[in-house]
Amino acid sequence: MKRDSKLSGVLHVLLHMAQRDAPATSEMLAKAMQTNPVVIRRIMAGLRKRGYVHSEKGHGGGWTLACDLSKLTLRDVYEALGEPSLLAIGNRTEAPGCLIEQSVNAALGRAFDEVEAMLLSHFASVSLGQLSDDLRNRLADRRQSCDLEAVHVG
Protein backbone atom coordinates (compact mmCIF):
# COMPACT_ATOMS: atom_id res chain seq x y z
CA MET A 1 0.00 0.00 0.00
CA LYS A 2 1.44 3.36 -1.04
CA ARG A 3 1.68 5.90 1.76
CA ASP A 4 0.94 9.58 1.30
CA SER A 5 4.22 11.35 2.02
CA LYS A 6 3.15 14.86 0.98
CA LEU A 7 3.30 16.26 4.53
CA SER A 8 6.75 14.79 5.09
CA GLY A 9 7.89 16.13 1.72
CA VAL A 10 6.62 19.65 2.39
CA LEU A 11 8.31 19.71 5.80
CA HIS A 12 11.50 18.57 4.09
CA VAL A 13 11.20 21.42 1.56
CA LEU A 14 10.54 24.01 4.27
CA LEU A 15 13.58 22.90 6.26
CA HIS A 16 15.73 23.05 3.11
CA MET A 17 14.50 26.61 2.61
CA ALA A 18 15.30 27.49 6.23
CA GLN A 19 18.93 26.48 5.66
CA ARG A 20 19.33 28.88 2.73
CA ASP A 21 20.13 32.58 2.76
CA ALA A 22 18.71 33.03 -0.74
CA PRO A 23 15.41 32.17 -2.43
CA ALA A 24 15.00 28.57 -3.57
CA THR A 25 13.59 27.95 -7.04
CA SER A 26 10.90 25.37 -7.69
CA GLU A 27 13.42 23.52 -9.85
CA MET A 28 15.98 23.41 -7.03
CA LEU A 29 13.41 22.17 -4.49
CA ALA A 30 12.01 19.65 -6.99
CA LYS A 31 15.49 18.23 -7.54
CA ALA A 32 15.98 17.84 -3.77
CA MET A 33 12.62 16.08 -3.50
CA GLN A 34 12.99 14.05 -6.71
CA THR A 35 9.76 15.39 -8.16
CA ASN A 36 8.52 17.80 -10.81
CA PRO A 37 8.74 21.58 -10.27
CA VAL A 38 5.02 21.81 -11.06
CA VAL A 39 4.32 19.62 -8.00
CA ILE A 40 6.41 21.96 -5.85
CA ARG A 41 4.62 25.06 -7.19
CA ARG A 42 1.22 23.48 -6.53
CA ILE A 43 2.13 22.59 -2.95
CA MET A 44 3.78 25.93 -2.27
CA ALA A 45 0.72 27.83 -3.52
CA GLY A 46 -1.28 26.53 -0.53
CA LEU A 47 1.48 27.59 1.83
CA ARG A 48 1.67 31.01 0.20
CA LYS A 49 -2.08 31.53 0.68
CA ARG A 50 -1.55 31.00 4.42
CA GLY A 51 1.38 33.41 4.52
CA TYR A 52 3.99 30.76 5.34
CA VAL A 53 6.08 31.30 2.19
CA HIS A 54 6.59 34.08 -0.32
CA SER A 55 7.50 33.84 -3.98
CA GLU A 56 9.37 36.25 -6.19
CA LYS A 57 9.39 35.90 -9.98
CA GLY A 58 12.28 36.58 -12.30
CA HIS A 59 16.04 36.36 -12.12
CA GLY A 60 17.14 35.84 -8.52
CA GLY A 61 13.59 34.97 -7.52
CA GLY A 62 12.17 31.88 -5.93
CA TRP A 63 10.56 30.76 -2.69
CA THR A 64 11.43 32.14 0.73
CA LEU A 65 10.00 31.57 4.18
CA ALA A 66 7.60 34.31 5.27
CA CYS A 67 7.04 33.31 8.88
CA ASP A 68 8.80 32.45 12.10
CA LEU A 69 9.42 28.70 12.15
CA SER A 70 9.00 28.61 15.92
CA LYS A 71 5.37 29.65 15.42
CA LEU A 72 4.62 27.33 12.48
CA THR A 73 3.43 23.89 13.57
CA LEU A 74 3.12 20.56 11.81
CA ARG A 75 -0.65 21.02 12.10
CA ASP A 76 -0.47 24.40 10.34
CA VAL A 77 1.33 22.80 7.40
CA TYR A 78 -1.04 19.80 7.42
CA GLU A 79 -4.02 22.16 7.24
CA ALA A 80 -2.39 24.19 4.46
CA LEU A 81 -2.13 20.97 2.46
CA GLY A 82 -5.91 20.54 2.65
CA GLU A 83 -5.91 18.10 5.57
CA PRO A 84 -5.10 14.92 3.66
CA SER A 85 -6.29 11.64 5.14
CA LEU A 86 -4.19 10.62 8.12
CA LEU A 87 -5.05 6.94 8.05
CA ALA A 88 -4.70 4.50 5.19
CA ILE A 89 -7.45 2.25 6.54
CA GLY A 90 -11.14 2.96 6.70
CA ASN A 91 -14.58 1.49 7.14
CA ARG A 92 -16.36 -0.78 4.72
CA THR A 93 -19.38 0.93 3.17
CA GLU A 94 -20.69 -1.62 0.69
CA ALA A 95 -23.75 -2.63 2.75
CA PRO A 96 -24.85 0.31 4.93
CA GLY A 97 -28.01 -1.55 6.00
CA CYS A 98 -26.02 -4.54 7.32
CA LEU A 99 -26.09 -4.62 11.13
CA ILE A 100 -22.69 -6.33 11.29
CA GLU A 101 -21.15 -3.64 9.10
CA GLN A 102 -22.77 -0.97 11.27
CA SER A 103 -21.38 -2.53 14.45
CA VAL A 104 -17.89 -2.95 13.05
CA ASN A 105 -17.88 0.58 11.57
CA ALA A 106 -19.04 2.11 14.85
CA ALA A 107 -16.20 0.46 16.77
CA LEU A 108 -13.56 1.23 14.16
CA GLY A 109 -14.88 4.76 13.62
CA ARG A 110 -14.43 5.63 17.29
CA ALA A 111 -10.88 4.27 17.21
CA PHE A 112 -10.06 6.16 14.01
CA ASP A 113 -11.44 9.39 15.49
CA GLU A 114 -9.36 8.96 18.66
CA VAL A 115 -6.16 8.27 16.73
CA GLU A 116 -6.71 11.24 14.42
CA ALA A 117 -7.37 13.53 17.40
CA MET A 118 -4.13 12.35 19.05
CA LEU A 119 -2.13 12.88 15.85
CA LEU A 120 -3.54 16.36 15.29
CA SER A 121 -2.83 17.28 18.91
CA HIS A 122 0.76 16.10 18.51
CA PHE A 123 1.10 17.98 15.19
CA ALA A 124 -0.05 21.17 16.96
CA SER A 125 2.63 20.72 19.64
CA VAL A 126 5.60 20.45 17.26
CA SER A 127 6.96 23.55 15.55
CA LEU A 128 9.17 23.71 12.52
CA GLY A 129 11.56 25.63 14.75
CA GLN A 130 11.94 22.46 16.82
CA LEU A 131 12.63 20.44 13.65
CA SER A 132 15.18 23.04 12.55
CA ASP A 133 16.90 22.84 15.95
CA ASP A 134 16.96 19.04 15.71
CA LEU A 135 18.50 19.29 12.24
CA ARG A 136 21.16 21.70 13.51
CA ASN A 137 22.02 19.27 16.34
CA ARG A 138 22.26 16.35 13.92
CA LEU A 139 24.56 18.34 11.64
CA ALA A 140 26.79 19.25 14.59
CA ASP A 141 26.90 15.61 15.72
CA ARG A 142 27.81 14.47 12.21
CA ARG A 143 30.59 17.08 11.92
CA GLN A 144 31.97 16.05 15.30
CA SER A 145 31.82 12.39 14.27
CA CYS A 146 33.64 13.15 11.00
CA ASP A 147 36.28 15.17 12.88
CA LEU A 148 36.86 12.23 15.24
CA GLU A 149 37.15 9.81 12.32
CA ALA A 150 39.73 12.10 10.67
CA VAL A 151 41.79 12.11 13.88
CA HIS A 152 41.75 8.30 14.06
CA VAL A 153 42.60 7.89 10.38
CA GLY A 154 45.57 10.30 10.53
Side-chain angles (χ1 to χ4, degrees):
M1 175 185 324
K2 185 156 174 26
R3 293 182 178 203
D4 182 346
S5 61
K6 188 186 291 186
L7 177 60
S8 177
V10 170
L11 295 170
H12 193 121
V13 163
L14 292 170
L15 289 175
H16 267 291
M17 291 170 59
Q19 301 301 307
R20 296 182 49 83
D21 292 329
T25 65
S26 298
E27 290 74 18
M28 185 185 307
L29 294 172
K31 187 174 181 181
M33 295 307 302
Q34 300 176 349
T35 191
N36 190 299
V38 172
V39 173
I40 296 295
R41 285 190 283 277
R42 198 174 302 134
I43 289 169
M44 299 300 270
L47 298 173
R48 181 178 50 214
K49 283 181 191 171
R50 299 272 180 125
Y52 303 148
V53 297
H54 175 75
S55 64
E56 200 66 43
K57 294 183 181 188
H59 182 70
W63 297 98
T64 55
L65 293 171
C67 66
D68 180 350
L69 290 185
S70 69
K71 293 179 177 26
L72 182 62
T73 67
L74 300 183
R75 184 162 183 169
D76 295 329
V77 176
Y78 166 76
E79 289 172 352
L81 292 175
E83 301 182 16
S85 178
L86 291 172
L87 302 174
I89 59 175
N91 285 327
R92 181 181 159 89
T93 59
E94 285 76 10
C98 174
L99 297 178
I100 294 172
E101 186 172 288
Q102 290 173 16
S103 181
V104 169
N105 287 354
L108 290 177
R110 282 189 298 276
F112 296 155
D113 291 346
E114 289 174 18
V115 168
E116 285 187 358
M118 284 182 3
L119 269 173
L120 292 174
S121 176
H122 180 73
F123 285 0
S125 73
V126 178
S127 75
L128 270 71
Q130 290 170 294
L131 296 182
S132 185
D133 290 344
D134 181 67
L135 171 61
R136 228 180 336 275
N137 291 336
R138 289 172 188 271
L139 286 170
D141 289 348
R142 177 171 286 171
R143 281 189 204 110
Q144 185 179 10
S145 172
C146 289
D147 290 346
L148 289 175
E149 288 174 14
V151 169
H152 292 293
V153 171

